[in-house]
Amino acid sequence: MDHLQKLEAHSVYILREAYREFKSLSMLWSIGKDSTVLLWLTRKAFFGHVPFPLIHIDTAYKVPEMITYRNELCLKYHINLIVGQNTEALANNETFLGGLDRLACCKRLKTEALVNTLSGAWERQRLDFETGALVPDKSREVFTGVIAGVRADEEGSRSKERVFSARDEKSEWDTASQPPELWNQYKTEFAPGTHVRIHPLLDWTELNIWEYIEREKIPVIPLYFNHGDGRRYRSLGCWPCTKPVESDARTVSEIIDELKSGKFRNIAERSGREQDKEGGGTLEALRKDGYM
Amino acid sequence: MKRMNIVITGHVDHGKSTLTGRLLADTGSLPEGKLEAVKAMCAGNSRPFEYAFLLDALADEQKQGITIDSARVFFKSLMREYIIIDAPGHIEFLKNMLSGASRASAAVLIIDAKEGIAENSKRHGLLLSLLGIRQVAVVVNKMDLVNYSRDVFEGICRDYGLFLAELGVQPQHFIPVAAREGVNLISNSVSTPWYTGKSVLEALDGFDDEQSLEDKPFSMSLQDVYKFTENNDERRIFAGTPSSGRISAGDRVDFLPSGKTSVISTVEGFNTEQRFSAGAGEAAGFTLETQVYVKPGEVMVKEGDESIKVSDRFRANIFWLGSRPFETGKEYKLKIGCAKVSGTIEKIEKLIDAQSLEKETDRKGIRRHEAATLLLKTSAPIAFDTFDANEPLGRFVIIDDYNIAGGGIILDALEKSSVKRIGVYSNQEIELNRFIRKHYPHWECRSIEE
């Protein structure tokens, strides 16, 4: 087995453990390359099926193509999609463009929306397969297990994550006392009130993700490619905070070349993200409160 | 390119994060600007720059200058891609060190040349041997603080080598290093003209890739059974990751410990060409010719294969991480492969002490951070193997209060304790029952062996 086959097998094993152990499981889908690979691995694990809903937290500041792509893909594969949003913060203009700093905006639009969507405290929407539109979700199911496409090589606090990472009732992450994980045995027993983030992609690098996309021919959103203006997105997020990079890569294999030996060989992936730059430890602070 | 996981362990302040940070910097594995950014941060806070700051990413770690949790760090040599697991050395974070180390196929053990062999240097050596990590390089760090003294280096090599030998660990290398100065990390340095062995990077590249167990008899702990009804999917799929061997469509299989049998009908996949076999390490799925009912955790083997043991008693080496002791007479949950079973300590044979390696007996419980050899008894027979023969089926964890509180490796299987069936069914009856279940599964005859 080569390294991609090993990574795939390990991630599939983790997904199957999660599915076996959690009655109420969901998967975060940001529409980006990592969570799209995660969706593909899910279909690998369950032989074409996606046996739990995908959750998308819509900040209303996503690049518009992302939303179109999201709905099309879920309709095509008949995947249950739940959408959560902090409608109150948006209505009151409590965002970066409305004057908040970037981290406060992340906290309002992402962290709070995520926590309250998972707990069922806020209204959720789901994609209706008949009409292709979002409709109110009648279910208030609490998701105690949440799969996320976090990678250890993205950023310092993620390099220290567990595969099964417990959060307490307030969704807080206690970095100093994470439970042990030995070999391929993970923490799957829980006190009531805990919920768990499951991270099947921790051992993948950005390069591994693209190599796998190429090998499996996984469809990804076209924003990752240069369409003639010499720019493309390397990492996707909200448009006020995520900028395209200058790049001529038009295909997956050109992206791989760029990462292996080209201009991005030594440039951190999230260098286009403004919220990472506001002082040391900030993403860790966000994540302690429940940020992805 | 191949990939290998390496754990860096050793006592607190012996220089693990510094070694890892410097290795990243010297192999050009850091993202552009990272080194400069950390240097600027240090200058801004009026503190000297440390390579360790490249890794200690948590706010508390930087404040206290200590590694709290293992970081996964990616870097590449010309030979291989590595995940370096920088494990904490502080005793309080031993569970984090073990979490990191259990993922590794080789280890670098660091000892401070000036301070010498510390308590944790020994404990970490012991734990690596209990985790089954056989490839080890010992790095004697901070050689600059002892004027690159050959005598100091050789003294540590001798003492620590003897200690590891008692544990059955044979280090492949002893390397004198000054991590902060970059001495003997990438290539040999003029500071130690008397040293002609390998540099740290050369030692890593010299480690062997993990051995596949594909040449051994087939075994797979059943992870789950799927029946997805969407899109009229009729398949009932038996899913799992084989730990050893290879199995093909048409092969007859037994499930242990239930003894149920069937025949592999198809090998399933998604987005792949049609396949007819699956082997060790692949996340696989099979359909069977007969619809047997088996529970997750049963081990699938080729029909009649007896290499996998079935018993409710075994001898194991364990290490304990729980805040409450691991006690005799109390029931715990054990996880072996995908099986969960309750179990108790039948007998503590000996305590394995990291300091003296003396075998203390007469203990009723195992305290936090201790290791022991003991006999365990499970509430029902389970299928497993010894760690030496089949690593994935020879290791287990112990759950206490929702947490993984200990881990262990199985040394050997003991006779089944439950002999109550003898006198109820004769051997002939048991054999007849087996024969019927194997060859006439559609009669759905129940096993009389439970």
Side-chain angles (χ1 to χ4, degrees):
Chain A
M1 289 170 79
D2 67 22
H3 72 294
L4 286 181
Q5 287 168 316
K6 281 186 184 167
L7 283 170
E8 178 194 84
H10 188 225
S11 300
V12 164
Y13 171 84
I14 293 164
L15 286 164
R16 289 175 176 173
E17 283 294 280
Y19 183 61
R20 187 172 60 133
E21 297 290 338
F22 287 88
K23 286 199 176 61
S24 185
L25 185 65
S26 63
M27 188 164 106
L28 294 178
W29 190 42
S30 72
I31 314 161
K33 61 187 183 306
D34 302 320
S35 56
T36 300
V37 163
L38 197 55
L39 178 57
W40 196 261
L41 288 165
T42 303
R43 299 176 78 204
K44 283 265 178 189
F46 306 109
F47 306 96
H49 300 272
V50 181
F52 34 74
L54 300 189
I55 291 184
H56 181 236
I57 299 303
D58 188 356
T59 58
Y61 288 102
K62 296 295 170 192
V63 183
E65 287 96 320
M66 292 169 71
I67 303 300
T68 316
Y69 179 85
R70 175 193 78 187
N71 294 356
E72 280 173 6
L73 197 98
C74 288
L75 290 172
K76 185 174 167 193
Y77 295 122
H78 219 78
I79 293 167
N80 284 316
L81 174 73
I82 292 174
V83 177
Q85 193 166 61
N86 190 344
T87 46
E88 189 194 282
L90 289 167
N92 296 338
N93 215 13
E94 292 168 49
T95 68
F96 174 62
L97 295 185
L100 291 190
D101 67 44
R102 293 181 201 277
L103 293 174
C105 180
C106 271
K107 186 167 176 161
R108 293 290 273 144
L109 297 188
K110 292 184 183 175
T111 310
E112 288 179 15
L114 175 65
V115 170
N116 289 290
T117 299
L118 294 177
S119 71
W122 288 1
E123 293 279 344
R124 306 190 282 224
Q125 295 191 292
R126 67 176 176 79
L127 186 66
D128 185 287
F129 294 127
E130 302 284 306
T131 61
L134 291 178
V135 295
D137 181 24
K138 290 194 196 85
S139 157
R140 284 294 178 97
E141 184 178 6
V142 182
F143 294 107
T144 51
V146 188
I147 303 165
V150 166
R151 298 193 335 261
D153 76 328
E154 285 178 280
E155 165 277 328
S157 71
R158 288 177 181 173
S159 79
K160 309 232 165 188
E161 265 288 9
R162 291 288 192 267
V163 177
F164 281 64
S165 178
R167 308 291 157 118
D168 66 14
E169 304 95 86
K170 294 184 211 124
S171 292
E172 284 178 4
W173 179 39
D174 184 354
T175 48
S177 66
Q178 300 198 71
E181 284 180 344
L182 296 171
W183 305 298
N184 59 351
Q185 298 288 5
Y186 302 109
K187 179 181 168 68
T188 50
E189 316 278 320
F190 305 98
T194 339
H195 84 261
V196 172
R197 302 280 177 85
I198 300 134
H199 303 128
L201 296 184
L202 279 184
D203 285 351
W204 294 59
T205 62
E206 183 189 12
L207 177 61
N208 297 149
I209 291 283
W210 283 112
E211 288 171 335
Y212 190 68
I213 287 170
E214 181 174 57
R215 177 183 293 192
E216 292 284 322
K217 301 187 176 62
I218 303 171
V220 288
I221 187 162
L223 289 169
Y224 284 114
F225 307 109
N226 160 40
H227 297 283
D229 62 352
R231 287 156 21 122
R232 67 177 190 87
Y233 281 92
R234 187 171 170 199
S235 164
L236 286 174
C238 297
W239 59 261
C241 291
T242 314
K243 297 284 171 246
V245 292
E246 286 183 17
S247 159
D248 295 326
R250 291 163 182 269
T251 62
V252 176
S253 73
E254 284 175 22
I255 290 177
I256 291 173
D257 286 344
E258 215 173 49
L259 289 172
K260 264 184 156 163
S261 49
K263 60 182 291 192
F264 291 136
R265 191 173 58 88
N266 273 331
I267 311 262
E269 178 187 359
R270 292 176 68 94
S271 52
R273 295 242 195 174
E274 294 296 332
Q275 75 266 44
D276 289 11
K277 295 178 185 167
E278 306 201 339
T282 47
L283 200 51
E284 177 195 348
L286 274 173
R287 288 167 56 69
K288 276 189 168 172
D289 289 338
Y291 183 77
M292 292 154 259
Chain B
M1 199 176 230
K2 294 260 187 199
R3 178 187 267 190
M4 179 178 271
N5 291 2
I6 305 267
V7 65
I8 314 270
T9 79
H11 190 52
V12 65
D13 283 340
H14 281 199
K16 295 175 294 295
S17 299
T18 303
L19 178 105
T20 311
R22 180 85 207 217
L23 211 50
L24 289 182
D26 288 5
T27 52
S29 304
L30 290 171
E32 208 168 273
K34 173 90 181 181
L35 193 62
E36 292 71 20
V38 174
K39 280 184 174 163
M41 185 198 79
C42 290
N45 297 334
S46 321
R47 57 199 292 192
F49 166 77
E50 297 272 358
Y51 282 98
F53 295 155
L54 292 164
L55 298 158
D56 290 339
L58 300 175
D60 279 347
E61 293 180 319
Q62 298 197 349
K63 247 183 259 161
Q64 302 194 19
I66 189 172
T67 303
I68 291 174
D69 213 330
S70 307
R72 293 172 174 76
V73 183
F74 298 77
F75 97 102
K76 253 187 228 164
S77 72
L78 293 173
M79 278 271 304
R80 253 197 295 248
E81 191 180 308
Y82 291 96
I83 299 184
I84 296 277
I85 302 154
D86 174 40
H90 199 283
I91 179 96
E92 201 181 321
F93 306 120
L94 196 67
K95 64 182 169 53
N96 297 343
M97 175 265 171
L98 282 163
S99 297
S102 73
R103 294 196 297 267
S105 42
V108 173
L109 266 163
I110 299 194
I111 295 176
D112 183 324
K114 193 148 185 234
E115 196 184 326
I117 301 163
E119 186 187 341
N120 266 345
S121 315
K122 288 193 166 180
R123 186 177 282 112
H124 287 183
L126 170 67
L127 290 168
L128 290 181
S129 81
L130 287 181
L131 285 172
I133 296 174
R134 295 178 185 99
Q135 306 197 82
V136 173
V138 177
V139 164
V140 180
N141 189 25
K142 306 192 193 178
M143 286 298 293
D144 52 324
L145 301 185
V146 294
N147 297 319
Y148 297 100
S149 156
R150 186 176 185 169
D151 286 348
V152 171
F153 173 71
E154 286 178 349
I156 290 174
C157 295
R158 188 183 54 241
D159 294 348
Y160 199 59
L162 282 173
F163 169 79
L164 289 179
E166 277 196 67
L167 299 169
V169 175
Q170 284 277 323
Q172 267 134 309
H173 308 278
F174 283 93
I175 309 171
V177 155
R180 193 173 313 194
E181 319 302 321
V183 168
N184 293 336
L185 286 192
I186 307 296
S187 55
N188 286 10
S189 161
V190 288
S191 304
T192 51
W194 43 268
Y195 178 73
T196 53
K198 289 189 170 171
S199 68
V200 173
L201 187 64
E202 288 163 347
L204 298 187
D205 280 346
F207 285 136
D208 290 330
D209 289 313
E210 218 165 292
Q211 293 296 307
S212 163
L213 295 178
E214 206 173 310
D215 297 337
K216 301 212 167 182
F218 175 81
S219 65
M220 181 184 93
S221 185
L222 182 68
Q223 195 172 8
D224 216 340
V225 181
Y226 302 129
K227 179 77 178 76
F228 300 112
T229 47
E230 201 149 282
N231 305 326
N232 301 317
D233 192 342
E234 290 296 322
R235 296 173 296 178
R236 191 153 169 267
I237 301 174
F238 293 73
T241 306
S243 45
S244 59
R246 178 160 279 277
I247 195 103
S248 305
D251 284 342
R252 303 191 70 89
V253 289
D254 293 341
F255 288 91
L256 303 173
S258 72
K260 294 186 181 176
T261 76
S262 192
V263 176
I264 301 285
S265 178
T266 60
V267 178
E268 295 293 329
F270 166 75
N271 196 46
T272 175
E273 285 168 35
Q274 199 185 348
R275 313 176 49 202
F276 299 97
S277 78
E282 297 174 37
F286 310 94
T287 63
L288 302 179
E289 282 185 6
T290 47
Q291 297 313 313
V292 291
Y293 171 72
V294 280
K295 283 189 218 144
E298 290 216 35
V299 176
M300 188 166 98
V301 297
K302 280 192 186 164
E303 183 185 47
D305 182 78
E306 291 189 347
S307 54
I308 299 296
K309 284 95 187 148
V310 175
S311 180
D312 60 357
R313 294 171 69 230
F314 57 84
R315 175 178 287 111
N317 279 343
I318 69 108
F319 44 86
W320 192 247
L321 302 166
S323 44
R324 296 182 301 201
F326 186 32
E327 289 173 338
T328 46
K330 194 178 156 190
E331 204 153 283
Y332 295 87
K333 186 184 274 185
L334 306 184
K335 285 166 85 177
I336 302 183
C338 299
K340 288 179 209 166
V341 64
S342 60
T344 52
I345 301 179
E346 188 175 290
K347 189 181 174 220
I348 296 172
E349 288 198 327
K350 65 187 182 212
L351 201 70
I352 310 170
D353 183 75
Q355 288 314 298
S356 57
L357 284 178
E358 268 169 29
K359 322 282 194 252
E360 198 182 325
T361 48
D362 275 355
R363 284 284 288 268
K364 294 276 175 283
I366 311 295
R367 292 188 288 259
R368 187 178 202 178
H369 300 149
E370 287 182 334
T373 304
L374 35 80
L375 305 184
L376 284 166
K377 187 178 168 335
T378 55
S379 58
I382 48 165
F384 58 88
D385 206 343
T386 57
F387 184 78
D388 275 350
N390 190 329
E391 291 188 15
L393 288 180
R395 59 198 182 196
F396 62 97
V397 295
I398 307 146
I399 313 286
D400 185 26
D401 192 24
Y402 305 111
N403 271 324
I404 293 178
I409 58 175
I410 298 176
L411 304 172
D412 49 319
L414 303 168
E415 287 291 306
K416 263 192 241 183
S417 66
S418 43
V419 288
K420 55 182 186 264
R421 268 176 260 103
I422 290 178
V424 179
Y425 295 108
S426 69
N427 283 343
Q428 267 173 317
E429 284 170 313
I430 290 172
E431 262 175 51
L432 178 64
N433 175 263
R434 273 189 199 156
F435 182 85
I436 292 170
R437 283 184 290 120
K438 188 167 281 183
H439 297 286
Y440 304 93
H442 51 284
W443 293 6
E444 300 200 346
C445 180
R446 209 163 43 83
S447 166
I448 59 171
E449 287 174 77
E450 285 172 53

